[in-house]
Amino acid sequence: MSDQSKKKSDIEGKTYRVQGFTCTNCASIFEENVRKLPGVQDANVNFGASKVYVKGSTTITELEKAGSFENLKIRSDKEQRIEKETFWKQKENIKVYISTILLVISWFIGKQYGEEYFPPTVGYAASILIGGYSLFIKGLKNLIRLKFDMNTLMTIAIIGASVIGEWGEGATIVILFAVSEALERYSMDKARQSIESLMDIAPKEALIRRDNKEISLHVDDIQVEDIMIVKPGQKLAMDGLVVKGTSTINQAAITGESVPVTKIINDEVFAGTLNEEGLLEVKVTKRVEDTTLSKIIHLVEEAQAERAPSQAFVDKFAKYYTPAIVVLAFLISVIPPMLFNGDWSEWVYRGLAILVVGCPCALVVSTPVAVVTAIGNAAKNGVLIKGGIHLEEAGNLKIIAFDKTGTLTKGVPVVTDIVTYDKDEKELMAIMAAIEKGSQHPLSSAIIRKAEETGLDLNALSVDEFQSITGKGLKAKVNNKIYYVGSPKLFEELHQTIKSTIKQKISLMQTEGKTVMILGTEKEILSLIAVSDEIRGSSKEVIGKLNQMGIETVMLTGDNQRTATAIGKQVGVSEIKADLLPEDKLIFVKRLLGKHNSVAMVGDGINDAPALAASSVGIAMGGAGTDTALETADIALMSDDLRKLPYTIKLSRKALTIIKQNISFSLAIKLVALLLVVPGWLTLWIAISADMGATLLVTLNSLRLLKVNE
């Protein structure tokens, strides 16, 4: 890389991975410290994904200095993950063990020889210093800056407890706060594991054929157009197209599909999937940083950084709540002794208990752990949820609108009936197919495919003056004669009326759920062609499940009312809207949003883009093969499988319930403990138990989201 391009990339920014975050507050401090480094213009920390984005130029050594208060380890985004020590052997936890042993020994000596005896106090003091050393450093720095957070609260409480002679309780506060932080660290690590496991799915090397030689290359050195050789039982290292061989591929890692998929020549395959049977040669189509797996990991990590509405509320609340607790504790410690001759020792003790119980640990951790866990679980099951806000929106859904073609149906229409009223069937079929060649309409492919299967030569026909009649059909001159191809509506406008026998035939085919297209001139109808789009096997089951969950289902389609009704009844949707142009779908979605606060639109991520964008939650089908779906949808079902939808709603609802439970419980336990101050029942022991108990419960409650499955 030239010096100029290196300078340019530094200015543009670089992403680093961070190891050792214990809490959201530590992430904020680290972000502040990085911004102050020389050469750094801006920095953004993603706590959920344990990453920092730095705009400007700096070094890993400088970044580690900025994170030295938490002993953070930094590595480049592309570097291999550093193997972590097991939870029990982590340095932070070893300090807790030593501190706890000292506390227990000191307590035992105190019980044997009395608390006034000198050694217990020394033991308690040692326990406080060993277990709370890093806490004091952070807390005192914050106190000097008048910045009040959990560390500040705990530091004041521990020093205060020591000053009034409550050494044992001070040491207990240190240990239990350290345990609380360890639990938070453990739960976030557990939640992140689902994404870290995705990173390890694809091999780091692949067998590549270049210049008739087979060489093993690192994925960073593999180029687009390289031929990758994948043996049975091997995982694919890169995305590509099969150029030789046939095999079944297990795509569960990307799409969540449990059943392996057969791949033949020209089929797309993804990095991280498993080749089960045959030998495949795959032409690489994307560099390693652009593979579908890389995009999923990147998007999920970005999603984990996005704050859910409830998290934004908690953060805003904690900003005012923590200083308020400090003020309240100070007033309770000072006012009764000064104004009402209260005992200083007793009221300072009560003030310290308020500081401990007021610590917002449980509240702050209540939402991020739940959001990160839910998004990670979804990713492992082939569902990409692009942020906490979309997770919460999906949990609130009461109505879902479905595009019909390619969503409720397979999206591969086939010709089912051909009825002719003049000329030879093959001749009319050839005229219709020749006109349809100029169209982008989904049904055109069915007619062209039928003509090719029949062996018709479409190039023999001269097509001129091609014109698309929006939403109705086509007009073109074939062999110097003007023909129209389109819906019955178009021919009603052209002919004013359609013969009753033809109308009956059209009506019969439409009742069977078929779309009827007419070939004719300005004066007569020459042929009817019925095209049908096969319903997905899972559609009825999925709609049934959603209806049972209390979700209203609406089908939106550009097809005629009869065809739409036939398909709608088969799948069991609550409401059917037919004859819709793309702008009509957008209007209808906006109308639904007026009635309901939250509306989802399910489509293929390319068509119906305006309706997907306007909905509260845009859900794209088959995201694994569509860059557009990955980039534009709020939620992408990576497999072309609707059955992932009820699971997504179930997970989102569960996450929403858990977030609400966590916030309510955290606030309730604080309120109850604070009320105990009035009769003087709040001791430091109760305060510590309440704070630690709340943190433990909200953490374990959030981790229940790992258990949610289909």
Side-chain angles (χ1 to χ4, degrees), residues 484-504:
Y484 290 85
V485 175
S487 64
K489 205 174 186 178
L490 171 66
F491 282 86
E492 277 174 7
E493 288 177 16
L494 280 173
H495 298 171
Q496 304 305 318
T497 57
I498 295 174
K499 283 182 188 177
S500 59
T501 52
I502 297 175
K503 252 189 176 178
Q504 280 174 4

Side-chain angles (χ1 to χ4, degrees), residues 229-247:
I229 297 160
V230 191
K231 295 172 184 177
Q234 285 185 337
K235 282 186 177 180
L236 281 78
M238 308 288 283
D239 283 10
L241 290 174
V242 177
V243 290
K244 189 177 179 183
T246 303
S247 185

Side-chain angles (χ1 to χ4, degrees), residues 75-224:
R75 72 182 196 276
S76 171
D77 191 30
K78 287 188 179 181
E79 259 181 65
Q80 286 287 305
R81 183 158 49 112
I82 305 161
E83 278 307 309
K84 289 181 185 174
E85 292 174 307
T86 56
F87 178 73
W88 309 108
K89 292 179 183 176
Q90 286 172 12
K91 208 179 285 181
E92 297 89 344
N93 296 341
I94 290 168
K95 289 190 297 184
V96 181
Y97 307 149
I98 297 167
S99 194
T100 307
I101 291 163
L102 283 169
L103 174 69
V104 171
I105 292 168
S106 303
W107 177 83
F108 183 76
I109 292 170
K111 282 289 175 191
Q112 289 291 313
Y113 304 103
E115 289 289 336
E116 292 76 29
Y117 190 66
F118 187 65
T121 308
V122 173
Y124 289 141
S127 177
I128 288 170
L129 286 171
I130 292 166
Y133 173 77
S134 56
L135 166 67
F136 295 143
I137 300 291
K138 290 182 237 175
L140 291 169
K141 278 182 181 174
N142 288 345
L143 205 53
I144 292 162
R145 296 183 203 142
L146 291 177
K147 184 179 176 185
F148 296 101
D149 64 4
M150 291 176 281
N151 298 306
T152 321
L153 261 63
M154 290 297 106
T155 302
I156 297 169
I158 293 156
I159 293 169
S162 306
V163 167
I164 62 170
E166 298 289 348
W167 291 93
E169 295 189 7
T172 310
I173 293 170
V174 167
I175 291 162
L176 293 182
F177 183 70
V179 170
S180 178
E181 278 205 321
L183 284 169
E184 189 177 332
R185 194 166 59 247
Y186 173 75
S187 62
M188 284 307 294
D189 284 347
K190 191 88 175 158
R192 288 184 190 118
Q193 273 174 16
S194 49
I195 299 309
E196 290 184 352
S197 63
L198 280 179
M199 290 176 195
D200 297 332
I201 283 170
K204 297 293 177 265
E205 290 189 341
L207 190 62
I208 297 293
R209 183 185 294 128
R210 274 190 198 165
D211 305 322
N212 292 323
K213 288 180 184 175
E214 291 182 8
I215 47 172
S216 186
L217 287 178
H218 191 275
V219 286
D220 289 337
D221 301 320
I222 297 172
Q223 297 167 4
V224 173

Side-chain angles (χ1 to χ4, degrees), residues 152-456:
T152 321
L153 261 63
M154 290 297 106
T155 302
I156 297 169
I158 293 156
I159 293 169
S162 306
V163 167
I164 62 170
E166 298 289 348
W167 291 93
E169 295 189 7
T172 310
I173 293 170
V174 167
I175 291 162
L176 293 182
F177 183 70
V179 170
S180 178
E181 278 205 321
L183 284 169
E184 189 177 332
R185 194 166 59 247
Y186 173 75
S187 62
M188 284 307 294
D189 284 347
K190 191 88 175 158
R192 288 184 190 118
Q193 273 174 16
S194 49
I195 299 309
E196 290 184 352
S197 63
L198 280 179
M199 290 176 195
D200 297 332
I201 283 170
K204 297 293 177 265
E205 290 189 341
L207 190 62
I208 297 293
R209 183 185 294 128
R210 274 190 198 165
D211 305 322
N212 292 323
K213 288 180 184 175
E214 291 182 8
I215 47 172
S216 186
L217 287 178
H218 191 275
V219 286
D220 289 337
D221 301 320
I222 297 172
Q223 297 167 4
V224 173
E225 300 288 316
D226 272 343
I227 299 298
M228 178 172 65
I229 297 160
V230 191
K231 295 172 184 177
Q234 285 185 337
K235 282 186 177 180
L236 281 78
M238 308 288 283
D239 283 10
L241 290 174
V242 177
V243 290
K244 189 177 179 183
T246 303
S247 185
T248 53
I249 300 278
N250 186 328
Q251 300 190 141
I254 301 292
T255 64
E257 292 168 285
S258 54
V259 180
V261 180
T262 302
K263 297 286 182 179
I264 57 172
I265 291 171
N266 288 329
D267 278 350
E268 192 174 15
V269 287
F270 307 111
T273 57
L274 177 69
N275 179 24
E276 292 200 335
E277 292 171 356
L279 179 72
L280 289 179
E281 290 190 15
V282 175
K283 183 171 77 176
V284 175
T285 53
K286 293 174 184 174
R287 284 195 49 78
V288 65
E289 61 268 22
D290 300 322
T291 63
T292 302
L293 179 63
S294 296
K295 278 190 177 178
I296 291 168
I297 292 165
H298 172 72
L299 289 166
V300 171
E301 288 180 336
E302 293 304 304
Q304 289 178 330
E306 237 187 75
R307 291 182 177 189
S310 53
Q311 191 177 341
F313 156 75
V314 165
D315 291 347
K316 197 172 181 182
F317 181 82
K319 189 180 172 184
Y320 299 104
Y321 164 84
T322 312
I325 286 290
V326 174
V327 172
L328 179 65
F330 176 76
L331 293 174
I332 281 173
S333 300
V334 171
I335 289 174
M338 285 182 73
L339 301 182
F340 307 106
N341 294 321
D343 180 61
W344 276 99
S345 181
E346 182 193 333
W347 286 99
V348 167
Y349 181 88
R350 289 190 190 184
L352 295 176
I354 282 172
L355 278 184
V356 174
V357 82
C359 181
C361 295
L363 188 63
V364 170
V365 82
S366 61
T367 306
V369 179
V371 169
V372 171
T373 306
I375 289 173
N377 183 354
K380 282 184 83 173
N381 283 285
V383 178
L384 181 61
I385 302 174
K386 291 170 67 176
I389 188 165
H390 307 306
L391 180 74
E392 288 199 13
E393 284 282 8
N396 284 318
L397 285 174
K398 289 284 180 271
I399 186 161
I400 300 178
F402 291 86
D403 175 36
K404 176 181 77 74
T405 309
T407 303
L408 292 173
T409 62
K410 288 183 177 176
V412 185
V414 290
V415 173
T416 55
D417 304 83
I418 302 170
V419 181
T420 55
Y421 295 102
D422 187 24
K423 296 186 183 176
D424 178 59
E425 182 183 300
K426 284 187 178 179
E427 186 185 339
L428 292 173
M429 187 74 199
I431 293 168
M432 196 170 193
I435 296 169
E436 289 287 359
K437 270 184 89 175
S439 170
Q440 295 297 313
H441 195 279
L443 300 181
S444 303
S445 58
I447 292 163
I448 295 161
R449 202 162 48 246
K450 182 70 176 176
E452 287 170 349
E453 284 169 9
T454 315
L456 303 175

Side-chain angles (χ1 to χ4, degrees), residues 675-696:
L675 289 173
L676 294 177
V677 172
V678 180
W681 296 342
L682 183 65
T683 64
L684 274 173
W685 295 105
I686 292 173
I688 295 161
S689 303
D691 179 58
M692 187 190 165
T695 305
L696 179 61

